[in-house]
Amino acid sequence: MTGIDETHDPARQSWVESANGHPDFPIQNLPLGVFSVAKGEPRIGVAIGEMILDLKALCGAGLLDKQWSPALGSGSLNAWFAQGPADALALRRRLSELLSNDGNRHAVEPHLVNSANAEMHLPCRIGDYTDFYVGIHHATNVGKQFRPDNPLLPNYKYVPIGYHGRASSVRVSGEPVVRPKGQRKSPEAEAPEYGPSRRLDYELELGFFVGKGNELGTTIPIAEAAGQIAGYCLLNDWSARDIQGWEYQPLGPFLAKNFLTSISPWVITPEALAPFRKPMPTRPDGDPEPLPYLFDPSDQAKGGLGIQLEVALLTAKMREAGLPPHVLSRGDASSAMYWSAAQIVTHHASNGCNLQPGDLIGTGTLSTAQSTGLGSLMEISAGGKAPIELPGAEKRSFLDDGDELTLSARCVAEGAVPIGFGSCTGRVLPAT
Amino acid sequence: MTGIDETHDPARQSWVESANGHPDFPIQNLPLGVFSVAKGEPRIGVAIGEMILDLKALCGAGLLDKQWSPALGSGSLNAWFAQGPADALALRRRLSELLSNDGNRHAVEPHLVNSANAEMHLPCRIGDYTDFYVGIHHATNVGKQFRPDNPLLPNYKYVPIGYHGRASSVRVSGEPVVRPKGQRKSPEAEAPEYGPSRRLDYELELGFFVGKGNELGTTIPIAEAAGQIAGYCLLNDWSARDIQGWEYQPLGPFLAKNFLTSISPWVITPEALAPFRKPMPTRPDGDPEPLPYLFDPSDQAKGGLGIQLEVALLTAKMREAGLPPHVLSRGDASSAMYWSAAQIVTHHASNGCNLQPGDLIGTGTLSTAQSTGLGSLMEISAGGKAPIELPGAEKRSFLDDGDELTLSARCVAEGAVPIGFGSCTGRVLPAT
């Protein structure tokens, strides 16, 4: 498989002992993030087991390519993302060498920080955030509520549908979810009311960050699009369904979504994901081929993301009772996505729209075809008609105050060391 | 009228002679912008007649309040916008004094730049750009194309409808309009094609900038919303109607809009607009009152914007023939807007969404009830069914390559010196 090198060698171990066998961050992962310690300045780091390696300090110690110092010494990953895949791979190989070879331990170890003592930040300044809708089973499930016989609109299989979200309210995992207020109108009511949402939901998504980007008025050919993706994260597109139902016509969701979007702090690089690539799912008979500007054989062969997604809920009552989180869904991203990340990037820039380093793009909700892999409560509870039963005799159709939701992801493939994304959590607070 | 002080005195003249009688920038206006000279660093300036007063230089000369130096000495207006209305008014009064009193001429004149030698930039870094849809005649005209008997959706008179736009592609007046490519599908075609838009249009809007903003999870009460608007500009929401028609369901316009948004460079302050305020238009019988969170008597009394808008078109052929631009429409913003700028701000933050200094908000297309005041070609040409005739025997349903479009605006009121917005232009270039 292309993109597999010594950094993926299953025999490679780190002298950072907590990395070996770590469910998320073995030496085969090496995700990038931004952290601080004791309210100090944010710095770029790499996760290795239970530790974080401080890349600014590593630059200062002369252990990384000098040319990388301006980007890796800054407080956000924007400049690094703009450097592109060749530097990304070179950094990965250098870090893998530094963290595996015992001879480097003496020089590198002083620049490790215990992650338990670190605060994580957004990995970069997000100029624009765009959310797509490529989860075909989700789109079908939602469409069925409006059009049972014809759930997908005619454009769905030609256009990677997307829309702009709110950049200012993207926050890193752990941010409290203040229940939003807004206009909501029940079908029988004559007029809407303004008040706290009664149908607060989550949406399980993957996010990814733009690399170098493109100038206004230019496009990104599909064969170059994969090289424009700097890395991946988990994304929770918190959604207020009652606000959404009333406001969204004709211009799409707005206040139902822009009160908060949570992402996981560690950016999983395309290089780390290489062993977990899959072919794009075969399009069912009768589906059109992608238009030529969206078609690339290499993308068809390995544009699928072999990422196992999981959502778990812990209510306040469960927490008090010492119960573990309840798994709401498990599913594979590759089977959920009708369009690849590369197709999303190419489509986004296909009109000359300029993408910039660090722009965040969401896939849209990733539900599988199975009922065990649905990515939102709206789907799981059938819009509230079939509340789920939780341990401790609780029921839920939507999120209650005090509920804590956690997204997580792991990649598993034969012959590869499994890696993980860490988690993306948020606890619901009452409306203010 | 509140907000009227000596800075609006019609008798006040400037020693900058080009300001006196200037259609846009007499001393009663004093709009803020960001300019550079000879590719130098961008600086904050104020337009006065044909000149620009360099506020960084004025700070350096000790002629402005020292506390303002960090904000006014920077290369963008974000920090200044965050200072709020009290400082905005104090600056206005100080500038009006400096530019009217002959005794200041000797000290101030060295800091004037001829605007003909200046390049204008975006007035601030735009974190998020949101576009609304408060032009009720526009919404009605568009709705009629889909639902002749019931053009406005049930939420329109309760919800100030808006959606997120693209911040990265907002450009200052003068930016070329590269004809976008995209998927478009004619009704009779079986499948869409990817190619240059055949229905390129403009949309006449006002834009405004957020002042101090609000923290995530908090709201902006309607009584405080007017104080959250730092200033106004013209905004052209360039639109590809064929791309829009095919892509926009179910999440709203995306690539049909995000290839470019143009704004005029000068920020007209709320203080300058004070004499031109009007009551909000009376809602027709049967329309609901605004919900309480959107209702404020003061906003009802003076939330209307008495701004005369004009759109003019100059084709390549007209330019070659030496013909003047052809006026496509003239109309008044206050009669076009169903919701005020303050209502837009309060609604936007009503779910806890955080607005930030310098965020750009568009009103949506401002068409009047009269056929002479329509804000887009889609409306003027009835979707292409009634092409307009231009001087020189040309016709247009949508924009051709080489067409140059100019938005302009003036404010006129009895007892006040008229002021203008300057212009917002763009010339269409062929698809690349």
Side-chain angles (χ1 to χ4, degrees), chain A residues 23 268 272-273 276 306-308 409-413 416-421:
Chain A
I268 314 299
L273 287 176
F276 311 103
I307 302 172
Q308 305 294 325
R410 285 197 91 202
C411 303
V412 180
V417 174
I419 63 172
F421 275 56

Side-chain angles (χ1 to χ4, degrees), chain A residues 343-400:
Chain A
Q343 288 173 318
I344 288 173
V345 165
T346 289
H347 182 67
H348 200 326
S350 66
N351 66 342
C353 177
N354 57 324
L355 309 186
Q356 302 192 119
D359 283 351
L360 175 64
I361 297 178
T363 55
T365 309
L366 298 181
S367 296
T368 64
Q370 295 77 34
S371 63
T372 51
L374 301 174
S376 67
L377 281 173
M378 177 177 59
E379 292 166 89
I380 298 173
S381 75
K385 289 194 283 268
I388 51 169
E389 302 198 6
L390 298 172
E394 285 187 283
K395 290 189 178 186
R396 283 291 181 282
S397 290
F398 295 97
L399 295 169
D400 270 14

Side-chain angles (χ1 to χ4, degrees), chain A residues 35 44-48 50-54 111-115 118 120 266:
Chain A
F35 73 100
I44 294 171
V46 63
I48 178 77
E50 297 300 322
M51 308 299 280
I52 299 172
L53 180 59
D54 179 339
H111 309 302
L112 287 174
V113 169
N114 192 321
S115 61
M120 297 305 298
W266 292 106

Side-chain angles (χ1 to χ4, degrees), chain A residues 91-111:
Chain A
L91 174 64
R92 174 180 171 83
R93 297 180 80 163
R94 176 64 179 155
L95 291 172
S96 182
E97 160 68 15
L98 288 173
L99 288 164
S100 62
N101 188 327
D102 265 330
N104 297 311
R105 182 170 186 160
H106 182 74
V108 173
E109 199 161 27
H111 309 302

Side-chain angles (χ1 to χ4, degrees), chain A residues 128 155 158-159 164 166-168 181 183 194 216 246 249 254-255 258-259 293 347-348 350-351 354 359, chain B residues 128 130 155 158-159 162 164 166-168 181 183 194 216 246 249 255 258-259 293 347 350-351 354 359:
Chain A
D128 278 287
N155 57 11
Y158 291 98
V159 179
H164 290 295
R166 181 88 192 168
S168 73
K181 289 184 282 195
Q183 286 192 33
Y194 173 74
L216 188 67
W246 173 235
Q249 289 277 22
F254 180 52
L255 299 187
N258 67 8
F259 57 94
Y293 79 102
H347 182 67
H348 200 326
S350 66
N351 66 342
N354 57 324
D359 283 351
Chain B
D128 278 287
T130 313
N155 57 9
Y158 291 98
V159 180
H164 290 295
R166 181 86 192 168
S168 74
K181 290 185 280 194
Q183 286 191 34
Y194 173 74
L216 187 68
W246 173 236
Q249 291 277 22
L255 299 186
N258 67 7
F259 57 93
Y293 79 102
H347 182 67
S350 66
N351 65 341
N354 57 324
D359 282 351

